[in-house]
Amino acid sequence: MSLAVALTRASEGVAAPLVTVEVHLSGGLPGTSIVGLPEAAVREARDRVRVAIQNTQFEYPNRRVTVNLAPAELPKDGGRFDLAIALGILAAGGQVPREALHGCEFLGELALSGELRPVPGVLPALLRARHGKRCVIVPVENAAEAALLGDVEVRVAHTLADVCAHLRGVEPLPTPDADATCGAVATVPDLADVRGQLQARRALEIAAAGGHHLLMIGPPGTGKSMLAQRLPGILPPLAEAEAIEACAVRSVANEPFDVRDWRQRPYRAPHHTASGVALVGGGSHPRPGEISLAHNGVLFLDELPEFDRHVLEVLREPMESGRIVISRAARSAEFPARFQLVAAMNPCPCGYAGDAGGRCHCSPDAIARYRSRISGPLLDRIDIMVDVPRIPLAELDGARNAGDEDSATVRARVITARGVAMQRAGKPNAALGTREIERDCALGDAERALLQRAMDRLGLSARAYHRVLRVARSIADLAGSARIAREHLAEAIQYRRTGEQS
Ligand SMILES: Nc1ncnc2c1ncn2[C@@H]1O[C@H](COP(=O)(O)OP(=O)(O)OP(=O)(O)O)[C@@H](O)[C@H]1O
Ligand SMILES: [Mg+2]
């Protein structure tokens, strides 16, 4: 019987469902058909595969070739199945041993020369393959990504001929070079560069400790963008599982990624002209957007009011749920999107409202319009709001002031506080659920009365109430205090004023 089977994987969101490629050779008019409702891209695979096989000094069967990709309803886009199809054809014709294909999965697009081209979504495929205990063969250009998981057998290949030599037992393929993955950490800017702004530094530290969303408001050129860029440098490193999740998203987005910094938290700073699709994801083959690329890391929206209002509204849901579902007519995909939002804005259109220089000439109307570009519900989800005012020249000049700590110093405190939270609840404080808040953020009578008064005075929502408690928890953790004391709560409340009061 001239039937052969080769396994490969599709790419669907961050999932990687198994695809079985069945190849049957039969008599009749020579020709090749690919069934299983493949899209145009897979039909093109037919031509690539034929030429690649011929250029690899094998014979393309002079018979009727039927290729079936199963299951039929999966997305089958791109050339990622080329290698599996080519091997299936060769195995069906007896040019490589059929049994040798059984314990393997194959990923890779073929160039006409028979060389293998890299494909997106290798890491998600490996994560799945790990359960099947099969060896995965990938293009050499995907090697760095493939080496991230220690517990999956991976082999890398340059060409179709290499893979065939491996399967015939002539020359085994090499494993990816593990050294590639544990190099130096890429450098990020240091907090020591920022002068003054003690209040904003403090807010940044609390946000880092608990993973809270942060909004910085101030006139131009006071260090808002500088501070935001320095957040990744004080965040705790990613745990392996988190790092793999983050890489899996980058892998499906086909984002180039440097394996040297794969344990570093993602930092995404999309420009305010970015489209909705770029920001939240989309497309006919749904792709992750910036909010998913920022998963387990930081999403920095500089000049927040300049973003399209509709796009900002879409952020509301993932900010609470930590994921985004992209629905298209044909299919929907879900991507993780647990990001920490850091936003910066000026207080008014000219940027100088509230500044001592008296330079602001914006009308109250204009200011109100500017602020209303950010909706109440979005502001309600921001845990910490902080002013970043102009600093006196004396602070900017000369030597570093006592408060100008470097990132390493701040990061050590953040890691300790985050460790406490992880021990207590297994998650950062920003992710605490209502029950966990009741358990871990219990208040004394005096503190409860203080919070009650603040809620009345600031008109806080129930959500804001919970958010204040989460922030207070982080402040107490930084202070090494088991219970939330009055001063911790008072500080947390103070970060809740909305922009109108500045
Ligand atoms: N606190 C500061 N310490 C040291 N340098 C600063 C500080 N604030 C601003 N600068 C200098 O000003 C430049 C601009 O700062 P930054 O881009 O952070 O301003 P911004 O607050 O984001 O302004 P805008 O509202 O216009 O975006 C920095 O590159 C730095 O040279
Ligand atoms: Mg800026």
Side-chain angles (χ1 to χ4, degrees):
M1 188 188 61
S2 33
L3 178 73
V5 174
L7 298 175
T8 178
R9 284 184 186 270
S11 172
E12 187 178 45
V14 286
L18 193 67
V19 173
T20 306
V21 179
E22 299 163 332
V23 182
H24 184 241
L25 304 188
S26 56
L29 277 182
T32 303
S33 59
I34 301 183
V35 292
L37 294 185
E39 294 171 21
V42 175
R43 267 178 256 122
E44 287 164 17
R46 179 173 49 193
D47 301 327
R48 279 199 303 273
V49 167
R50 181 192 295 113
V51 179
I53 285 179
Q54 285 161 347
N55 283 335
T56 306
Q57 317 302 326
F58 285 109
E59 258 169 57
Y60 196 85
N62 194 22
R63 301 163 70 183
R64 176 106 221 121
V65 179
T66 308
V67 179
N68 181 34
L69 301 183
E73 66 277 12
L74 286 171
K76 299 190 186 75
D77 46 323
R80 58 191 297 113
F81 310 121
D82 285 1
L83 178 60
I85 294 173
L87 290 169
I89 293 172
L90 291 175
Q95 301 187 77
V96 297
R98 233 169 265 164
E99 322 72 60
L101 265 52
H102 291 168
C104 300
E105 293 179 16
F106 305 94
L107 294 171
E109 180 175 331
L110 285 171
L112 298 183
S113 62
E115 268 177 49
L116 287 176
R117 292 208 168 118
V119 294
V122 165
L123 191 61
L126 293 178
L127 285 168
R128 295 305 163 106
R130 139 203 270 189
H131 302 299
K133 303 210 177 347
R134 281 183 286 260
C135 169
V136 186
I137 295 179
V138 304
V140 71
E141 281 177 63
N142 289 120
E145 189 178 347
L148 292 179
L149 299 183
D151 55 354
V152 189
E153 191 190 347
V154 186
R155 303 281 172 158
V156 296
H158 286 279
T159 64
L160 173 61
D162 291 347
V163 180
C164 293
H166 174 82
L167 294 172
R168 294 156 100 187
V170 179
E171 184 160 5
L173 289 170
T175 54
D177 187 359
D179 291 346
T181 63
C182 49
V185 170
T187 50
V188 288
D190 199 290
L191 267 181
D193 308 334
V194 180
R195 294 289 135 87
Q197 303 300 10
L198 295 190
Q199 208 199 358
R201 278 170 167 273
R202 168 80 179 156
L204 197 68
E205 181 172 338
I206 297 167
H212 306 290
H213 302 310
L214 171 72
L215 171 63
M216 293 181 282
I217 306 173
T222 54
K224 300 182 295 299
S225 303
M226 273 183 101
L227 283 159
Q229 284 152 10
R230 283 154 181 79
L231 177 57
I234 62 169
L235 284 170
L238 288 168
E240 189 184 63
E242 292 176 312
I244 289 171
E245 275 178 4
C247 288
V249 177
R250 276 193 274 181
S251 172
V252 255
N254 217 352
E255 277 264 321
F257 84 78
D258 185 354
V259 284
R260 280 176 319 164
D261 56 33
W262 79 292
R263 293 294 281 269
Q264 206 157 307
R265 301 227 165 228
Y267 174 83
R268 307 292 303 189
H271 192 252
H272 57 74
T273 53
S275 69
V277 169
L279 216 62
V280 299
S284 51
H285 300 298
R287 278 186 167 227
E290 293 289 338
I291 64 169
S292 295
L293 289 162
H295 179 61
N296 287 335
V298 177
L299 179 70
F300 177 41
L301 301 184
D302 207 353
E303 324 290 351
L304 187 66
E306 305 297 331
F307 280 82
D308 180 53
R309 189 170 165 146
H310 295 293
V311 174
L312 290 184
E313 292 310 292
V314 183
L315 297 184
R316 284 162 51 178
E317 218 237 273
M319 276 174 83
E320 306 244 304
S321 66
R323 59 197 191 87
I324 180 104
V325 178
I326 296 162
S327 300
R328 288 290 174 275
R331 60 180 73 115
S332 74
E334 180 181 323
F335 296 105
R338 205 178 327 99
F339 55 87
Q340 181 175 7
L341 177 67
V342 176
M345 63 182 279
N346 301 127
C348 69
C350 83
Y352 293 96
D355 190 59
R359 289 154 77 176
C360 175
H361 300 293
C362 300
S363 69
D365 251 14
I367 296 180
R369 254 200 320 280
Y370 184 72
R371 300 241 169 121
S372 72
R373 290 195 211 163
I374 302 152
S375 74
L378 182 63
L379 277 183
D380 202 41
R381 284 166 170 76
I382 294 178
D383 311 89
I384 303 180
M385 290 178 223
V386 69
D387 280 323
V388 187
R390 237 162 13 115
I391 55 172
L393 186 62
E395 280 184 32
L396 202 53
D397 259 355
R400 264 164 65 184
N401 311 298
D404 300 349
E405 294 174 311
D406 62 8
S407 293
T409 311
V410 180
R411 186 170 194 243
R413 290 196 298 263
V414 167
I415 289 176
T416 308
R418 178 75 70 102
V420 169
M422 295 304 285
Q423 276 247 303
R424 187 178 47 228
K427 53 176 90 165
N429 293 331
L432 291 177
T434 320
R435 291 248 182 86
E436 291 157 323
I437 291 177
E438 277 169 25
R439 188 190 65 204
D440 298 335
C441 309
L443 297 180
D445 289 342
E447 287 79 25
R448 189 170 305 111
L450 171 70
L451 184 50
Q452 186 59 54
R453 280 198 304 280
M455 282 188 69
D456 294 343
R457 187 164 39 90
L458 298 175
L460 297 184
S461 67
R463 179 192 292 118
Y465 172 82
H466 286 135
R467 289 192 176 264
V468 167
L469 287 174
R470 292 189 189 106
V471 173
R473 184 64 266 168
S474 296
I475 295 172
D477 288 345
L478 279 168
S481 166
R483 59 176 278 276
I484 298 176
R486 189 186 163 83
E487 78 237 43
H488 306 140
L489 186 64
E491 185 177 355
I493 292 170
Q494 173 218 312
Y495 293 128
R496 264 327 285 204
R497 5 128 305 170
T498 50
E500 292 83 63
Q501 282 129 324
S502 68

